[in-house]
Amino acid sequence: MTPYPHRPAPAAADALPRRAPLVLMYHRVASVAFDPNRLAVTPRRFSRQMAWLHRWGLRGVAVGELVAAMRSGEHRGLVGITFDDGYADLIEHVPAVVDRYRFTATVFVVSGRLGGVNDWDRGTPWPLVDADGVRRLAEAGLEIGAHGRQHVALAGTEPEVLRAETYGSRADLEALLAAPVSGFAYPYGSMDVAARAAVRAAGYAYGCAVFAKRAEQGLMALPRMYAGERDTAFRLAAKRLLHRRHVTR
């Protein structure tokens, strides 16, 4: 009996296209008084950022949609929109903005911390979405992905932890939503060969990293670019160019 009830995808199928699209990584969309890690974007700034993408002729999409477009060669003009951790107030600000421009987005939630707080970040005990909130996000048209069960760094960890954080979190969310969960985001961007293999073996179609070396990049390690409150149209354009230099093959 194998440790995972899903057949791993062939490694050769993980290759990215020559000009893989930019994927933006957000966390919380809210006005906060204390944000030492610069993880929050105000609703006004987020709305402007999505408006800028729209004006540039780009369309923000969930990563599942982006991966399907890359496989069919129809990814030109697309930008992935992702939110890590699954903060409780995303439902208040994100669906209305992405709907305005006919965008979509992916929210990666920590399945073992639903209804809790992000106590892995010191000084910012921000509330996380609960089970009902996950369902509401999905009903609003956002893709739900896994971000592990406990938000632990996966590089160098034991096989049992890898299985719980990858396969276990997928099983949790699929039971909650009664729907497939195809994407995973590595907490802290922490990954190694074993972690990527565990994500593949757990049956995910893709895994989102943060920075990834060119040799590591693929569908199990999609590089993403941080998006924050300071990102004006000029800074987003610069990040898009940096992304092209980093991932163009």
Side-chain angles (χ1 to χ4, degrees):
M1 181 176 178
T2 59
Y4 300 95
H6 298 281
R7 182 183 298 274
D14 290 350
L16 298 180
R18 184 174 179 272
R19 286 190 175 272
L22 171 67
V23 180
L24 293 175
M25 179 184 67
Y26 290 93
H27 288 79
R28 190 178 181 191
V29 180
S31 298
V32 299
F34 182 64
D35 184 15
N37 300 311
R38 297 179 181 173
L39 297 181
V41 177
T42 61
R44 182 179 183 184
R45 176 66 76 186
F46 176 67
S47 181
R48 286 182 173 183
Q49 289 167 346
M50 296 301 101
W52 292 330
L53 295 180
H54 181 70
R55 284 203 299 270
W56 293 338
L58 302 172
R59 186 166 72 89
V61 296
V63 185
E65 183 177 347
L66 186 68
V67 167
M70 285 193 288
R71 284 175 168 157
S72 64
E74 298 176 349
H75 54 277
R76 185 180 179 88
L78 301 182
V79 174
I81 307 294
T82 68
F83 299 87
D84 282 9
D85 303 340
Y87 292 100
D89 41 20
L90 287 177
I91 192 68
E92 298 175 24
H93 306 296
V94 173
V97 174
V98 297
D99 283 351
R100 185 182 309 155
Y101 301 106
R102 297 185 179 180
F103 290 1
T104 56
T106 301
V107 179
F108 295 107
V109 300
V110 185
S111 67
R113 301 291 191 97
L114 299 183
V117 298
N118 63 329
D119 55 11
W120 55 84
D121 288 325
R122 291 185 179 180
T124 55
W126 293 341
L128 300 171
V129 68
D130 60 13
D132 183 62
V134 174
R135 295 188 192 97
R136 290 176 62 199
L137 289 167
E139 290 167 1
L142 301 182
E143 179 189 24
I144 302 299
H147 201 33
R149 270 183 166 165
Q150 298 298 327
H151 200 280
V152 299
L154 297 187
T157 195
E158 300 83 0
E160 302 80 30
V161 176
L162 285 177
R163 187 181 191 281
E165 294 296 313
T166 57
Y167 173 71
S169 58
R170 183 173 188 236
D172 293 343
L173 294 174
E174 290 188 341
L176 174 63
L177 297 170
V181 171
S182 61
F184 184 88
Y186 300 92
Y188 309 104
S190 173
M191 64 175 187
D192 56 13
V193 172
R196 293 192 294 275
V199 169
R200 182 185 296 111
Y204 292 98
Y206 67 85
C208 279
V210 184
F211 175 83
K213 298 176 182 178
R214 289 193 179 186
E216 298 171 339
Q217 292 172 17
L219 292 183
M220 293 299 117
L222 286 167
R224 293 184 293 168
M225 191 73 73
Y226 159 84
E229 179 65 17
R230 296 183 177 185
D231 286 328
T232 61
F234 175 80
R235 284 173 60 96
L236 284 180
K239 287 184 174 184
R240 191 177 178 212
L241 290 175
L242 287 172
H243 168 80
R244 285 181 177 177
R245 291 186 62 183
H246 180 56
V247 304
T248 296
R249 299 171 181 273

